[in-house]
Amino acid sequence: MSASLLQATGMFGGYGGLDILNGVDLAVDAGEIVVIVGPNGAGKSTAMKAVFGLLHVREGRVSLGGEDITNKPPEQLVPRGMAYVPQESNVFPNLTVHENLEMGAFVRRDDFSGVLEQMYDLFPPLKDKRKQPAGELSGGQRQMVAIGRALMVEPKLLLLDEPTAGLSPLFMQEIFERIIAVNDTGVGILMVEQNARQALEIAHKGYVLAVGRNRFTDTGANLLANREVAESFLGGTGEG
Amino acid sequence: MDLEIFGLFMYGISLLTMTGIYAVSCLGLNVQWGFTGLFNAGIAGFFAVGAYTSAILTTPEHAGHFGGFGLPVPVGMAASMITAGIIAYAVAKICLRLRSDYLAIATLGIAEILRLILKNEQWLTGGSLGISHIPRPFDGRGQPWSELGFLAVVVVIVLAIYWLIERGLKAPWGRVMRAIRENETAAEAAGKNVERYRLEAFVFGAMFMGLGGALSAHAFKFISPEAFEPLLVTFLVWVMLIIGGSGNNKGAILGAFIVWTIWSMTELFTGFLPSDWAIRASYIRVFLIGLILQLVLQFYAKGLIPEKPPVIPGKNGGEKAGGD
Amino acid sequence: MLEFINFYLIPGLVLGSIYALGAIGVSMLFGILRFAHFAHGDLMTLGAYLALTVVLALGWSPMMALPIAIAGTAAVAVGIDWAFYRPFRSSPTIVLVIASFGIALMVRAAVQLFWGVEVTPYQTGIQRPIILFDALRVAERHFVIVGGTIFLVGVMHYFLAYTRMGKAMRAMSDDANLARVTGINTKKIIVWTWIMGAGMAAAAGVFLGMDTQLNPNMGWDLLLPIFAAAILGGLGRPYGAIAGGMVIGFMEELSSYPWIGTEPLLEPSYKTAVAFAVMVLMLIVRPSGLFRGRVF
């Protein structure tokens, strides 16, 4: 068995001495889409933050490509090929779309103009808005800027925290399509999603978390087919 | 020999008197900052207003400035508190709902404007000539009795203010105050009129600062705008509170004593130096006080007598001095 | 009319330039570190005196000494930040305000210690004004000050709009957390903010010294109008600070013009009060400033 791209084992941690994570395991293989679902307060976003060094991992280990990255700060993870898109306030509102993308490449000292053009190809609606402040864009376009910003380092692994939160179904569909397109270029994706059903449909692997622990781990399709998962965690109807 | 001991004795009295005067202002700042978390960068302004109010009301008639009403000293002191309180009310009305930095800037501005008025409105304040012949209680009874008498007045006032604040803190008023500082949103949710309580704290604090100013005017018997160098008065009181222990009244008084002692002892020391060096040394003195503040902030943030943990079951209080 | 231009409009422009340079730093620092830097005026003083040393030692003009004053003040500011502000990065910002209050006093005491308290000019002797169109009389130093300010604002604009560091500074001012997860080196940005802010302050100090004279209180006395200018322009917005500085500068000078009758509208000694009044009015009506800066 080859080592996974991202491997997190037995993560414990939380805020102010109170553990939210009670031994979470996560693994993402290169080029995979992995989705974390679960009820509110299950520790989904917290687990992702722990992986990205935004939350102190009290116990457990995180590694990227075999290298230990436990509790390494974001500024050291981004150059190692890991990028993160927060759920809220994920663009620089007073910077133009173009500048937002440039900021994503802050850690790069090489010529990244080609990657910039790729982003406009990947997210065509942004092409006309290059010089517009990102704060003036619609929710869906802002999400594109945020994902584009993260892709500027050409990461091996992209972390997305609820990328479709607050978007209309139409935009949601578009964002999911973009995520698949990004994945097609070989980027591994770890994503937390409220819209669990749609997310699992595009996932190679899914994790169901509850009270800070792994409850189910399986392929996206199998989880969708699993009755217990469907009843307890997917809300039956497939909405929300 | 005897003369030397007597000199030392008199020095001790003046030291304690000044400590007391600063302690009054420091207690005022403690009400504003220590208990309520309101930043005041204009202490010198309230101090000066108090000094001038009392001076104008209590001095005999004089052509050089307004007033000369020859009123009794207690009346002057009461008026100094009222004037400082009114100005504080106006500032608070406008700025209290803003974040703390803005309050700091606004109070700094008030102090600067007041300084301009003191300097320029000669008809009122005597301009740079200042006001002289300010009466001092128990004056004219000969050394050391007149000095001791005034010291007694200062001590009584310090104790009275201490008692008043401590009582206020134990009353519901103080409990609400603390609740606001710890968690403003929760206090608001509990139906407390946060803005009114903060306004009260700011006005009370400023009134004590005004009283401190009045006491200093009567102690020196003479005032001029130079006596209220904004950075120095404001800064000394801040250093006193932070070193002593913000949020603790005993700490505020202890801080006033320690800082004033260091301040005046070093002045005594620089007095022995040749005059050219003495001037330079006085700047080193200011520099060192600034440095002490930095070190206390960084390594000893709770001060000498830390704030008593509030008596709320199930919660470990005792925030660091900078808590807001 | 000519008198109005010569004695009110041009001095307003000069004063506005000085305020603008000071306010840029206050505004930038607020954007990045989120606190009102009370020692900013004293950094201006330091810059002015560093230039004085160069002027006296090498016989250069104050303008030639300017780059040295800027570099020296920036270096001192970076050092002060490292020793006295850095420990409080995660403390309530008001602790930084207190610390900067102490730094203001320390810097001033150091200036008094090294350079004395005497009021000193850079150059003695009368400077002949340049006469334009036979009527406009503009002192050479006023040309230099306004020209220098335009140049420095140009440098600032280039830095913020076109350099990697400058854009990252704007990004961090927008959202410090997002800047961090993007991989932006926030420590380096803080250092650059001090270099830019303190450098501009030093220039403001030198210009003020050229326009009037040097004294150890010169910067502290300007703190209020500079804060007013920064608030007027919207904190965290360096471009707004320039506009704010100009507005405050003009208003202060124009406030003593005899608009009604022959007496000055406001005694010149109360100029500072104008800045204060504008600031208070702004805080009441629109605390985010003209250009929507940060309030909380």
Side-chain angles (χ1 to χ4, degrees), chain A residues 98-116:
Chain A
H98 199 75
E99 286 170 336
N100 263 278
L101 296 178
E102 283 179 326
M103 278 304 107
F106 183 87
V107 299
R108 296 181 69 146
R109 302 313 304 254
D110 55 341
D111 178 25
F112 51 80
S113 49
V115 191
L116 264 171

Side-chain angles (χ1 to χ4, degrees), chain B residues 149-224:
Chain B
F150 187 66
L151 175 62
V153 171
V154 172
V155 169
V156 167
I157 288 176
V158 171
L159 291 178
I161 291 176
Y162 176 83
W163 178 79
L164 208 69
I165 301 176
E166 285 288 320
R167 242 192 85 123
L169 283 177
K170 290 194 183 91
W173 187 82
R175 284 204 296 276
V176 175
M177 218 56 128
R178 244 177 220 175
I180 290 172
R181 198 196 54 181
E182 301 296 322
N183 190 339
E184 191 174 323
T185 337
E188 205 150 7
K192 302 295 175 194
N193 185 342
V194 171
E195 201 174 320
R196 207 196 82 209
Y197 277 91
R198 292 171 53 158
L199 189 133
E200 282 172 9
F202 193 76
V203 171
F204 280 136
M207 286 169 83
F208 295 144
M209 289 167 190
L211 181 58
L215 284 172
S216 86
H218 294 292
F220 291 120
K221 301 196 240 182
F222 166 77
I223 50 173
S224 71

Side-chain angles (χ1 to χ4, degrees), chain B residues 33 39 41 94-95 97-102 104-110 112-113 115-118 120-121 229-232 234-235 238 242 279-281 283-284 286-291 293-295 297-298 320-324, chain C residues 30 34-36 38 83-85 87-88 90-95 97-110 112-114 117 217 220-221 223-224 227 231 235 269-270 272-273 276 279-280 283-284 287 294-296:
Chain B
W33 170 252
F39 194 93
I94 296 168
C95 303
R97 61 207 150 95
L98 299 167
R99 60 170 273 163
S100 42
D101 300 48
Y102 285 166
I105 297 170
T107 48
L108 176 84
I110 280 289
E112 291 289 305
I113 302 291
R115 193 167 60 117
L116 284 182
I117 294 174
L118 296 183
N120 294 312
E121 298 305 314
E229 162 75 41
L231 200 46
L232 220 52
T234 303
F235 186 69
W238 266 103
I242 286 171
I279 294 168
R280 282 173 181 252
Y283 303 126
I284 297 180
V286 177
F287 188 88
L288 287 180
I289 289 279
L291 193 61
L293 172 77
Q294 305 295 346
L295 297 178
L297 275 180
Q298 281 188 31
K320 61 181 162 178
D324 114 18
Chain C
F30 195 94
R34 299 270 181 278
F35 83 111
F38 270 59
F84 299 115
Y85 299 150
F88 302 118
S90 54
S91 306
T93 53
I94 201 74
V95 182
V97 175
I98 299 175
S100 72
F101 205 72
I103 293 296
L105 208 73
M106 287 166 73
V107 170
R108 199 210 300 190
Q112 287 167 327
L113 179 65
F114 291 120
V117 289
N217 281 329
W220 173 260
D221 291 342
L223 193 59
L224 196 59
F227 275 150
I231 288 175
L235 288 169
S269 45
Y270 282 112
T272 316
F276 183 70
M279 183 179 80
V280 168
L283 288 179
I284 300 169
R294 292 186 171 269
V295 187
F296 289 96

Side-chain angles (χ1 to χ4, degrees), chain B:
Chain B
M1 187 62 199
D2 273 357
L3 214 62
E4 230 165 72
I5 291 174
F6 185 70
L8 215 58
F9 178 67
M10 291 306 292
Y11 176 71
I13 291 175
S14 101
L15 192 84
L16 287 178
T17 309
M18 287 313 293
T19 295
I21 290 170
Y22 272 98
V24 170
S25 300
C26 199
L27 285 168
L29 182 64
N30 201 20
V31 172
Q32 294 180 339
W33 170 252
F35 298 125
T36 326
L38 302 172
F39 194 93
N40 183 349
I43 300 169
F46 297 109
F47 199 80
V49 162
Y52 271 89
T53 305
S54 198
I56 287 169
L57 290 179
T58 58
T59 43
E61 204 167 326
H62 188 277
H65 62 83
F66 178 69
F69 295 101
L71 293 172
V73 172
V75 176
M77 287 185 181
S80 71
M81 292 176 75
I82 293 168
T83 333
I86 290 170
I87 292 175
Y89 180 82
V91 177
K93 258 296 177 204
I94 296 168
C95 303
L96 275 194
R97 61 207 150 95
L98 299 167
R99 60 170 273 163
S100 42
D101 300 48
Y102 285 166
L103 184 63
I105 297 170
T107 48
L108 176 84
I110 280 289
E112 291 289 305
I113 302 291
L114 289 171
R115 193 167 60 117
L116 284 182
I117 294 174
L118 296 183
K119 254 192 189 157
N120 294 312
E121 298 305 314
Q122 195 143 7
W123 63 274
L124 180 68
T125 64
S128 51
L129 294 175
I131 298 177
S132 52
H133 303 293
I134 302 170
R136 187 166 75 184
F138 301 104
D139 202 15
R141 307 200 175 205
Q143 277 188 336
W145 305 112
S146 80
E147 281 79 6
L148 271 176
F150 187 66
L151 175 62
V153 171
V154 172
V155 169
V156 167
I157 288 176
V158 171
L159 291 178
I161 291 176
Y162 176 83
W163 178 79
L164 208 69
I165 301 176
E166 285 288 320
R167 242 192 85 123
L169 283 177
K170 290 194 183 91
W173 187 82
R175 284 204 296 276
V176 175
M177 218 56 128
R178 244 177 220 175
I180 290 172
R181 198 196 54 181
E182 301 296 322
N183 190 339
E184 191 174 323
T185 337
E188 205 150 7
K192 302 295 175 194
N193 185 342
V194 171
E195 201 174 320
R196 207 196 82 209
Y197 277 91
R198 292 171 53 158
L199 189 133
E200 282 172 9
F202 193 76
V203 171
F204 280 136
M207 286 169 83
F208 295 144
M209 289 167 190
L211 181 58
L215 284 172
S216 86
H218 294 292
F220 291 120
K221 301 196 240 182
F222 166 77
I223 50 173
S224 71
E226 277 72 49
F228 306 103
E229 162 75 41
L231 200 46
L232 220 52
V233 176
T234 303
F235 186 69
L236 273 182
V237 176
W238 266 103
V239 176
M240 286 166 178
L241 184 64
I242 286 171
I243 288 182
S246 150
N248 188 309
N249 288 321
K250 288 196 190 80
I253 296 170
L254 180 71
F257 176 71
I258 289 175
V259 173
W260 187 259
T261 306
I262 296 175
W263 187 248
S264 80
M265 291 282 213
T266 45
E267 187 175 28
L268 212 62
F269 168 72
T270 55
F272 291 120
L273 295 168
S275 68
D276 183 37
W277 276 95
I279 294 168
R280 282 173 181 252
S282 71
Y283 303 126
I284 297 180
R285 196 158 72 111
V286 177
F287 188 88
L288 287 180
I289 289 279
L291 193 61
I292 290 175
L293 172 77
Q294 305 295 346
L295 297 178
V296 170
L297 275 180
Q298 281 188 31
F299 303 109
Y300 218 72
K302 286 181 181 170
L304 291 171
I305 311 182
E307 181 177 358
K308 284 168 284 183
V311 211
I312 304 165
K315 185 174 188 287
N316 326 323
E319 298 251 323
K320 61 181 162 178
D324 114 18

Side-chain angles (χ1 to χ4, degrees), chain C residues 150-173:
Chain C
I150 292 171
F151 173 77
L152 287 170
V153 166
V155 170
M156 180 202 87
H157 174 65
Y158 177 80
F159 175 76
L160 289 176
Y162 299 107
T163 69
R164 173 170 170 268
M165 238 353 125
K167 286 183 218 174
M169 188 187 289
R170 279 163 54 220
M172 186 173 166
S173 183

